[in-house]
mmCIF file of all heavy atoms in Angstrom:
data_model
loop_
_atom_site.group_PDB
_atom_site.id
_atom_site.type_symbol
_atom_site.label_atom_id
_atom_site.label_comp_id
_atom_site.label_asym_id
_atom_site.label_seq_id
_atom_site.Cartn_x
_atom_site.Cartn_y
_atom_site.Cartn_z
ATOM 1 N N VAL A 1 28.674 14.871 -44.396
ATOM 2 C CA VAL A 1 28.562 15.948 -45.379
ATOM 3 C C VAL A 1 29.576 17.046 -45.068
ATOM 4 O O VAL A 1 30.205 17.594 -45.974
ATOM 5 C CB VAL A 1 27.120 16.512 -45.400
ATOM 6 C CG1 VAL A 1 27.049 17.820 -46.168
ATOM 7 C CG2 VAL A 1 26.171 15.489 -46.008
ATOM 8 N N GLU A 2 29.758 17.354 -43.787
ATOM 9 C CA GLU A 2 30.737 18.370 -43.393
ATOM 10 C C GLU A 2 32.153 17.962 -43.803
ATOM 11 O O GLU A 2 33.006 18.812 -44.021
ATOM 12 C CB GLU A 2 30.681 18.613 -41.890
ATOM 13 C CG GLU A 2 29.457 19.394 -41.452
ATOM 14 C CD GLU A 2 29.358 19.526 -39.942
ATOM 15 O OE1 GLU A 2 29.875 18.644 -39.218
ATOM 16 O OE2 GLU A 2 28.765 20.512 -39.488
ATOM 17 N N GLN A 3 32.387 16.673 -43.904
ATOM 18 C CA GLN A 3 33.702 16.179 -44.298
ATOM 19 C C GLN A 3 33.835 16.077 -45.821
ATOM 20 O O GLN A 3 34.838 15.573 -46.325
ATOM 21 C CB GLN A 3 33.968 14.826 -43.646
ATOM 22 C CG GLN A 3 34.065 14.913 -42.131
ATOM 23 C CD GLN A 3 34.129 13.550 -41.473
ATOM 24 O OE1 GLN A 3 34.183 12.525 -42.130
ATOM 25 N NE2 GLN A 3 34.117 13.545 -40.144
ATOM 26 N N GLY A 4 32.820 16.533 -46.553
ATOM 27 C CA GLY A 4 32.916 16.583 -48.001
ATOM 28 C C GLY A 4 32.184 15.506 -48.771
ATOM 29 O O GLY A 4 32.233 15.471 -49.995
ATOM 30 N N GLU A 5 31.491 14.621 -48.084
ATOM 31 C CA GLU A 5 30.789 13.536 -48.771
ATOM 32 C C GLU A 5 29.376 13.976 -49.153
ATOM 33 O O GLU A 5 28.734 14.731 -48.432
ATOM 34 C CB GLU A 5 30.714 12.311 -47.850
ATOM 35 C CG GLU A 5 30.191 11.077 -48.538
ATOM 36 C CD GLU A 5 30.288 9.835 -47.656
ATOM 37 O OE1 GLU A 5 31.078 9.836 -46.694
ATOM 38 O OE2 GLU A 5 29.559 8.884 -47.948
ATOM 39 N N ASP A 6 28.894 13.517 -50.303
ATOM 40 C CA ASP A 6 27.510 13.747 -50.706
ATOM 41 C C ASP A 6 26.685 12.526 -50.324
ATOM 42 O O ASP A 6 27.148 11.393 -50.439
ATOM 43 C CB ASP A 6 27.403 13.946 -52.220
ATOM 44 C CG ASP A 6 27.966 15.275 -52.666
ATOM 45 O OD1 ASP A 6 28.386 16.069 -51.811
ATOM 46 O OD2 ASP A 6 27.974 15.518 -53.884
ATOM 47 N N ILE A 7 25.463 12.765 -49.892
ATOM 48 C CA ILE A 7 24.562 11.690 -49.481
ATOM 49 C C ILE A 7 23.318 11.756 -50.360
ATOM 50 O O ILE A 7 22.708 12.814 -50.515
ATOM 51 C CB ILE A 7 24.133 11.834 -48.002
ATOM 52 C CG1 ILE A 7 25.336 12.015 -47.069
ATOM 53 C CG2 ILE A 7 23.243 10.684 -47.564
ATOM 54 C CD1 ILE A 7 26.224 10.817 -46.929
ATOM 55 N N VAL A 8 22.923 10.623 -50.925
ATOM 56 C CA VAL A 8 21.691 10.534 -51.698
ATOM 57 C C VAL A 8 20.637 9.880 -50.823
ATOM 58 O O VAL A 8 20.873 8.818 -50.245
ATOM 59 C CB VAL A 8 21.893 9.722 -52.997
ATOM 60 C CG1 VAL A 8 20.570 9.496 -53.709
ATOM 61 C CG2 VAL A 8 22.876 10.431 -53.899
ATOM 62 N N ILE A 9 19.478 10.507 -50.722
ATOM 63 C CA ILE A 9 18.369 9.952 -49.945
ATOM 64 C C ILE A 9 17.375 9.360 -50.937
ATOM 65 O O ILE A 9 16.952 10.030 -51.876
ATOM 66 C CB ILE A 9 17.713 11.032 -49.065
ATOM 67 C CG1 ILE A 9 18.760 11.607 -48.106
ATOM 68 C CG2 ILE A 9 16.530 10.454 -48.296
ATOM 69 C CD1 ILE A 9 18.275 12.780 -47.288
ATOM 70 N N ALA A 10 17.028 8.093 -50.709
ATOM 71 C CA ALA A 10 16.175 7.378 -51.656
ATOM 72 C C ALA A 10 14.905 6.875 -50.988
ATOM 73 O O ALA A 10 14.880 6.600 -49.788
ATOM 74 C CB ALA A 10 16.945 6.198 -52.242
ATOM 75 N N ARG A 11 13.858 6.765 -51.809
ATOM 76 C CA ARG A 11 12.595 6.173 -51.360
ATOM 77 C C ARG A 11 12.357 4.940 -52.230
ATOM 78 O O ARG A 11 12.293 5.057 -53.454
ATOM 79 C CB ARG A 11 11.444 7.159 -51.527
ATOM 80 C CG ARG A 11 10.093 6.563 -51.128
ATOM 81 C CD ARG A 11 8.913 7.473 -51.415
ATOM 82 N NE ARG A 11 9.015 8.714 -50.649
ATOM 83 C CZ ARG A 11 8.883 9.931 -51.180
ATOM 84 N NH1 ARG A 11 8.647 10.081 -52.469
ATOM 85 N NH2 ARG A 11 8.970 10.991 -50.418
ATOM 86 N N ALA A 12 12.275 3.809 -51.606
ATOM 87 C CA ALA A 12 12.073 2.531 -52.319
ATOM 88 C C ALA A 12 13.140 2.328 -53.388
ATOM 89 O O ALA A 12 12.860 1.851 -54.479
ATOM 90 C CB ALA A 12 10.669 2.488 -52.924
ATOM 91 N N GLY A 13 14.381 2.729 -53.078
ATOM 92 C CA GLY A 13 15.483 2.503 -53.986
ATOM 93 C C GLY A 13 15.634 3.546 -55.080
ATOM 94 O O GLY A 13 16.575 3.487 -55.859
ATOM 95 N N HIS A 14 14.731 4.533 -55.143
ATOM 96 C CA HIS A 14 14.802 5.573 -56.161
ATOM 97 C C HIS A 14 15.282 6.881 -55.524
ATOM 98 O O HIS A 14 14.690 7.350 -54.550
ATOM 99 C CB HIS A 14 13.433 5.801 -56.811
ATOM 100 C CG HIS A 14 12.905 4.595 -57.519
ATOM 101 N ND1 HIS A 14 13.424 4.156 -58.707
ATOM 102 C CD2 HIS A 14 11.920 3.718 -57.187
ATOM 103 C CE1 HIS A 14 12.768 3.072 -59.096
ATOM 104 N NE2 HIS A 14 11.860 2.779 -58.175
ATOM 105 N N PRO A 15 16.345 7.461 -56.044
ATOM 106 C CA PRO A 15 16.866 8.705 -55.477
ATOM 107 C C PRO A 15 15.805 9.811 -55.468
ATOM 108 O O PRO A 15 15.092 10.007 -56.444
ATOM 109 C CB PRO A 15 18.009 9.085 -56.417
ATOM 110 C CG PRO A 15 18.382 7.810 -57.113
ATOM 111 C CD PRO A 15 17.119 7.018 -57.194
ATOM 112 N N VAL A 16 15.710 10.497 -54.321
ATOM 113 C CA VAL A 16 14.727 11.566 -54.160
ATOM 114 C C VAL A 16 15.424 12.904 -53.906
ATOM 115 O O VAL A 16 15.011 13.935 -54.432
ATOM 116 C CB VAL A 16 13.768 11.257 -52.983
ATOM 117 C CG1 VAL A 16 12.818 12.402 -52.727
ATOM 118 C CG2 VAL A 16 13.007 9.977 -53.249
ATOM 119 N N ALA A 17 16.488 12.880 -53.104
ATOM 120 C CA ALA A 17 17.161 14.123 -52.739
ATOM 121 C C ALA A 17 18.647 13.867 -52.540
ATOM 122 O O ALA A 17 19.075 12.723 -52.372
ATOM 123 C CB ALA A 17 16.555 14.685 -51.458
ATOM 124 N N ARG A 18 19.396 14.950 -52.565
ATOM 125 C CA ARG A 18 20.839 14.856 -52.330
ATOM 126 C C ARG A 18 21.201 15.810 -51.203
ATOM 127 O O ARG A 18 20.827 16.973 -51.217
ATOM 128 C CB ARG A 18 21.596 15.234 -53.598
ATOM 129 C CG ARG A 18 23.064 14.884 -53.510
ATOM 130 C CD ARG A 18 23.722 15.090 -54.832
ATOM 131 N NE ARG A 18 24.064 16.500 -54.949
ATOM 132 C CZ ARG A 18 24.769 17.012 -55.933
ATOM 133 N NH1 ARG A 18 25.164 16.250 -56.927
ATOM 134 N NH2 ARG A 18 25.049 18.277 -55.964
ATOM 135 N N LEU A 19 21.922 15.312 -50.225
ATOM 136 C CA LEU A 19 22.368 16.096 -49.080
ATOM 137 C C LEU A 19 23.808 16.505 -49.345
ATOM 138 O O LEU A 19 24.691 15.653 -49.451
ATOM 139 C CB LEU A 19 22.260 15.235 -47.811
ATOM 140 C CG LEU A 19 22.380 15.904 -46.461
ATOM 141 C CD1 LEU A 19 21.342 16.986 -46.272
ATOM 142 C CD2 LEU A 19 22.239 14.863 -45.358
ATOM 143 N N ILE A 20 24.017 17.814 -49.518
ATOM 144 C CA ILE A 20 25.357 18.324 -49.815
ATOM 145 C C ILE A 20 25.694 19.457 -48.866
ATOM 146 O O ILE A 20 24.813 20.038 -48.237
ATOM 147 C CB ILE A 20 25.471 18.814 -51.276
ATOM 148 C CG1 ILE A 20 24.474 19.928 -51.548
ATOM 149 C CG2 ILE A 20 25.288 17.671 -52.247
ATOM 150 C CD1 ILE A 20 24.674 20.594 -52.887
ATOM 151 N N ALA A 21 26.962 19.792 -48.770
ATOM 152 C CA ALA A 21 27.409 20.861 -47.876
ATOM 153 C C ALA A 21 26.920 22.207 -48.404
ATOM 154 O O ALA A 21 26.870 22.442 -49.616
ATOM 155 C CB ALA A 21 28.932 20.863 -47.780
ATOM 156 N N TYR A 22 26.574 23.079 -47.487
ATOM 157 C CA TYR A 22 26.121 24.425 -47.830
ATOM 158 C C TYR A 22 27.326 25.311 -48.091
ATOM 159 O O TYR A 22 28.305 25.288 -47.348
ATOM 160 C CB TYR A 22 25.298 25.007 -46.675
ATOM 161 C CG TYR A 22 24.899 26.440 -46.892
ATOM 162 C CD1 TYR A 22 23.845 26.760 -47.732
ATOM 163 C CD2 TYR A 22 25.587 27.474 -46.270
ATOM 164 C CE1 TYR A 22 23.482 28.073 -47.938
ATOM 165 C CE2 TYR A 22 25.231 28.789 -46.480
ATOM 166 C CZ TYR A 22 24.176 29.088 -47.315
ATOM 167 O OH TYR A 22 23.828 30.396 -47.511
ATOM 168 N N THR A 23 27.256 26.074 -49.165
ATOM 169 C CA THR A 23 28.276 27.074 -49.427
ATOM 170 C C THR A 23 27.572 28.409 -49.574
ATOM 171 O O THR A 23 26.629 28.549 -50.369
ATOM 172 C CB THR A 23 29.075 26.776 -50.717
ATOM 173 O OG1 THR A 23 28.154 26.636 -51.803
ATOM 174 C CG2 THR A 23 29.882 25.491 -50.586
ATOM 175 N N ALA A 24 28.003 29.384 -48.809
ATOM 176 C CA ALA A 24 27.385 30.704 -48.847
ATOM 177 C C ALA A 24 27.677 31.367 -50.189
ATOM 178 O O ALA A 24 28.780 31.249 -50.715
ATOM 179 C CB ALA A 24 27.921 31.560 -47.706
ATOM 180 N N PRO A 25 26.680 32.059 -50.738
ATOM 181 C CA PRO A 25 26.922 32.736 -52.005
ATOM 182 C C PRO A 25 27.931 33.867 -51.825
ATOM 183 O O PRO A 25 27.967 34.510 -50.776
ATOM 184 C CB PRO A 25 25.542 33.290 -52.395
ATOM 185 C CG PRO A 25 24.763 33.314 -51.136
ATOM 186 C CD PRO A 25 25.320 32.240 -50.261
ATOM 187 N N ALA A 26 28.735 34.082 -52.830
ATOM 188 C CA ALA A 26 29.723 35.157 -52.764
ATOM 189 C C ALA A 26 28.990 36.492 -52.769
ATOM 190 O O ALA A 26 28.086 36.714 -53.560
ATOM 191 C CB ALA A 26 30.665 35.072 -53.956
ATOM 192 N N ARG A 27 29.375 37.350 -51.879
ATOM 193 C CA ARG A 27 28.751 38.670 -51.777
ATOM 194 C C ARG A 27 29.317 39.549 -52.878
ATOM 195 O O ARG A 27 30.525 39.737 -52.964
ATOM 196 C CB ARG A 27 29.039 39.279 -50.404
ATOM 197 C CG ARG A 27 28.357 40.593 -50.198
ATOM 198 C CD ARG A 27 28.514 41.060 -48.760
ATOM 199 N NE ARG A 27 27.911 42.361 -48.633
ATOM 200 C CZ ARG A 27 28.505 43.415 -48.108
ATOM 201 N NH1 ARG A 27 29.714 43.303 -47.630
ATOM 202 N NH2 ARG A 27 27.891 44.572 -48.044
ATOM 203 N N GLN A 28 28.435 40.070 -53.694
ATOM 204 C CA GLN A 28 28.875 40.911 -54.789
ATOM 205 C C GLN A 28 28.829 42.369 -54.347
ATOM 206 O O GLN A 28 27.810 42.854 -53.867
ATOM 207 C CB GLN A 28 27.997 40.703 -56.012
ATOM 208 C CG GLN A 28 28.103 39.308 -56.575
ATOM 209 C CD GLN A 28 27.246 39.129 -57.813
ATOM 210 O OE1 GLN A 28 26.551 40.031 -58.233
ATOM 211 N NE2 GLN A 28 27.295 37.944 -58.388
ATOM 212 N N VAL A 29 29.930 43.052 -54.505
ATOM 213 C CA VAL A 29 30.033 44.453 -54.133
ATOM 214 C C VAL A 29 30.167 45.267 -55.409
ATOM 215 O O VAL A 29 31.027 44.984 -56.253
ATOM 216 C CB VAL A 29 31.255 44.686 -53.216
ATOM 217 C CG1 VAL A 29 31.399 46.151 -52.868
ATOM 218 C CG2 VAL A 29 31.134 43.838 -51.963
ATOM 219 N N ALA A 30 29.303 46.259 -55.536
ATOM 220 C CA ALA A 30 29.357 47.114 -56.724
ATOM 221 C C ALA A 30 30.619 47.972 -56.674
ATOM 222 O O ALA A 30 31.008 48.463 -55.609
ATOM 223 C CB ALA A 30 28.128 48.005 -56.780
ATOM 224 N N PRO A 31 31.262 48.148 -57.794
ATOM 225 C CA PRO A 31 32.463 48.995 -57.825
ATOM 226 C C PRO A 31 32.083 50.456 -57.589
ATOM 227 O O PRO A 31 30.953 50.856 -57.862
ATOM 228 C CB PRO A 31 33.006 48.786 -59.231
ATOM 229 C CG PRO A 31 31.820 48.393 -60.036
ATOM 230 C CD PRO A 31 30.926 47.625 -59.095
ATOM 231 N N PRO A 32 33.011 51.261 -57.083
ATOM 232 C CA PRO A 32 32.721 52.687 -56.903
ATOM 233 C C PRO A 32 32.258 53.301 -58.220
ATOM 234 O O PRO A 32 32.857 53.063 -59.270
ATOM 235 C CB PRO A 32 34.064 53.272 -56.463
ATOM 236 C CG PRO A 32 34.802 52.109 -55.883
ATOM 237 C CD PRO A 32 34.353 50.913 -56.651
#
C-alpha cells in the first residue's frame, strides 16, 4: 500500500474492505 497499490480484502470471495494509503487532509487556514 505504501508503494501505491490498493488491496481489496474479501470474505468468501466477496469484497468487504479496501486497504489504501492514508493521505492527511489539507489544513485549511482562514485568510486574514
Side-chain angles (χ1 to χ4, degrees):
V1 167
E2 286 175 332
Q3 295 172 4
E5 189 173 340
D6 288 357
I7 309 292
V8 173
I9 300 174
R11 177 186 298 130
H14 298 287
V16 175
R18 192 172 83 173
L19 193 58
I20 60 171
Y22 175 78
T23 55
R27 184 172 177 231
Q28 295 181 358
V29 178

